[in-house]
Amino acid sequence: MLTQKQKILTASVLAVAAGVGLYFQLRTPVPPRPASVEAVMPADMLKALADAGKNGDKMPAAPKVKRVAPAEAKPGAGTEITFKRTGANALQVKVANTGAQPYALRYSAGAIFEDDRSGMVLLKPVAATVEPGGTLEQELVVAMLSSEKQEGRGTFRDTTKTQPKLESLMKHLDLHPEIPVGVVQTAVLAILEDAPLDLFAQFPMPKAAATPAGEVFKVETCQIIAALQLLRDIGVDSAAMSQDPQLKIEAMIDLKAHEIAKQYYGISTAAEWGYWRHELLAGDPSTRHYALYGIARYYPEVAMVMMPRWARETRTLPHYRRAAIGALALTQKSSAKPVLQDLGRDLARETDLAQRVEPALRYLEQNLPNAL
């Protein structure tokens, strides 16, 4: 019987694979409206960041093979076997059996493959038989063991090595093979390197360091949270990511990540308004204004009253005013259009603010429920 956490994890990652993010965005029910709008004036903070989003990775097709006991393949006489990396999480095996006997290809999940620069771990077991004179080409689902030296797609070799730190993860994947490879890859590097958030995050970060891997390991926010939940389920903690304040608020804003983020961070629906109010009043200085986006997305009626006031209030710091304009577009309410148009006229002399109105209107029109 699946636990509640496992059900939430499974539902979240399958939504990513199915590509139904926009459909759910326009139909996600919002929590109850709070009794009143709190008037707050937070202290200064770092430079504001813009929202950003990209499509996550796609899981390579899993081999449709029968699961077997953990026995490893050993080429026999007349058998040629090669392993070549064909993608970020894909390793292609080619077998040519020129011998007189059938050749059994067997690798268990957790098997390690290497080239001269890096290593990878097999995520799903492989069992296939190549008849005499036959050939086989099969794509294996793998995860890289290091975030460094990811520039090539070279030839790999099998090894007898193991990675004990991944044992509990492999056991969990055997019971939950539906978990996307992007989630698993994130979990693997969190376990082996306690990798920082900027290695995985698609959203901009104020102090992100350049990583040798570039974009290789970037995934959607919902997959990062799913990876953290996966680690929690197997009893592993990722100190570098689990306590990051920006990840928490980014995940709470993100419609795909919202429900699993509430579960992971222990925020009930009844307590959610208190969470956003706290973030606005006392959150991390670099992300306090993000709370305006969250309020707009999940409390649109409040935002329709609150955001125009914030945008017009000259005593409010500029990045809060800019965020308030953008937040109106996240309400997905047609009534926000004339409000934005009025703001464009009222703020015409404040060029930096006025320039934010047109992109907000464009986003609003593209994402209204009846725009489908």
Side-chain angles (χ1 to χ4, degrees):
M1 180 69 67
L2 292 176
T3 66
Q4 184 65 21
K5 289 181 180 179
Q6 291 168 339
K7 289 179 180 178
I8 293 173
L9 174 62
T10 300
S12 298
V13 296
L14 287 179
V16 176
V20 294
L22 180 59
Y23 180 86
F24 286 144
Q25 285 181 24
L26 300 181
R27 289 161 175 77
T28 301
V30 298
R33 176 181 177 179
S36 63
V37 179
E38 298 288 342
V40 294
M41 192 64 64
D44 203 355
M45 55 172 286
L46 301 178
K47 183 179 179 181
L49 301 174
D51 276 344
K54 299 178 182 178
N55 292 326
D57 61 337
K58 296 182 179 179
M59 184 178 185
K64 296 181 179 179
V65 295
K66 182 180 179 182
R67 291 182 178 272
V68 296
E72 308 305 331
K74 296 298 177 185
T79 302
E80 295 181 2
I81 180 169
T82 59
F83 301 92
K84 189 172 184 179
R85 185 183 180 190
T86 56
N89 295 103
L91 182 69
Q92 185 182 67
V93 57
K94 292 184 178 181
V95 180
N97 185 4
T98 58
Q101 300 296 324
Y103 173 67
L105 183 71
R106 300 286 187 274
Y107 287 100
S108 59
I112 304 295
F113 299 85
E114 293 181 339
D115 67 359
D116 294 335
R117 297 165 299 178
S118 57
M120 55 181 61
V121 59
L122 184 66
L123 302 182
K124 294 177 180 292
V126 177
T129 299
V130 185
E131 298 298 331
T135 61
L136 170 72
E137 290 188 11
Q138 178 68 65
E139 189 175 81
L140 310 182
V141 184
V142 296
M144 301 305 296
L145 295 173
S146 171
S147 61
E148 298 182 355
K149 301 178 180 178
Q150 299 299 319
E151 63 275 9
R153 291 192 176 188
T155 300
F156 281 69
R157 59 187 176 274
D158 58 355
T159 74
T160 58
K161 296 179 181 179
T162 61
Q163 179 46 263
K165 291 183 178 180
L166 299 179
E167 183 177 350
S168 59
L169 176 61
M170 293 302 148
K171 290 180 179 178
H172 189 84
L173 293 179
D174 188 57
L175 297 174
H176 301 281
E178 76 281 358
I179 300 177
V181 68
V183 175
V184 180
Q185 178 67 84
T186 303
V188 166
L189 293 180
I191 293 171
L192 298 181
E193 299 181 351
D194 199 15
L197 176 61
D198 54 326
L199 181 67
F200 308 111
Q202 292 181 345
F203 50 79
M205 299 181 64
K207 296 180 180 180
T211 63
E215 300 291 313
V216 173
F217 299 110
K218 299 294 185 184
V219 293
E220 290 186 306
T221 304
C222 57
Q223 292 182 291
I224 300 175
I225 299 298
L228 289 176
Q229 184 63 63
L230 171 57
L231 294 180
R232 179 178 288 177
D233 290 342
I234 64 174
V236 177
D237 180 50
S238 173
M241 290 195 296
S242 61
Q243 301 301 317
D244 191 285
Q246 184 173 352
L247 174 60
K248 183 176 182 179
I249 198 165
E250 292 272 6
M252 287 294 291
I253 292 172
D254 191 307
L255 281 164
K256 291 184 186 178
H258 186 67
E259 288 304 318
I260 191 173
K262 286 169 62 178
Q263 174 69 25
Y264 180 78
Y265 292 111
I267 302 171
S268 67
T269 298
E272 185 172 354
W273 171 254
Y275 164 76
W276 292 115
R277 181 178 182 277
H278 176 269
E279 287 299 313
L280 199 56
L281 284 167
D284 188 274
S286 66
T287 56
R288 281 184 192 172
H289 63 296
Y290 282 32
L292 298 178
Y293 301 131
I295 291 170
R297 175 155 278 170
Y298 302 111
Y299 301 90
E301 298 294 343
V302 173
M304 290 297 296
V305 176
M306 178 180 180
M307 302 308 163
R309 294 176 180 174
W310 277 60
R312 289 187 173 93
E313 178 52 69
T314 57
R315 293 172 297 177
T316 304
L317 294 168
H319 53 272
Y320 285 100
R321 299 177 70 188
R322 291 192 293 267
I325 293 171
L328 281 166
L330 296 184
T331 62
Q332 293 186 332
K333 284 185 158 296
S334 58
S335 55
K337 184 176 180 178
V339 175
L340 282 167
Q341 291 170 334
D342 287 345
L343 284 174
R345 289 188 290 269
D346 295 347
L347 302 174
R349 294 185 179 181
E350 299 183 71
T351 306
D352 183 51
L353 293 174
Q355 289 176 343
R356 305 301 173 109
V357 173
E358 185 58 35
L361 276 168
R362 187 163 55 249
Y363 180 91
L364 176 66
E365 291 173 350
Q366 291 172 350
N367 291 277
L368 286 173
N370 59 6
L372 286 178

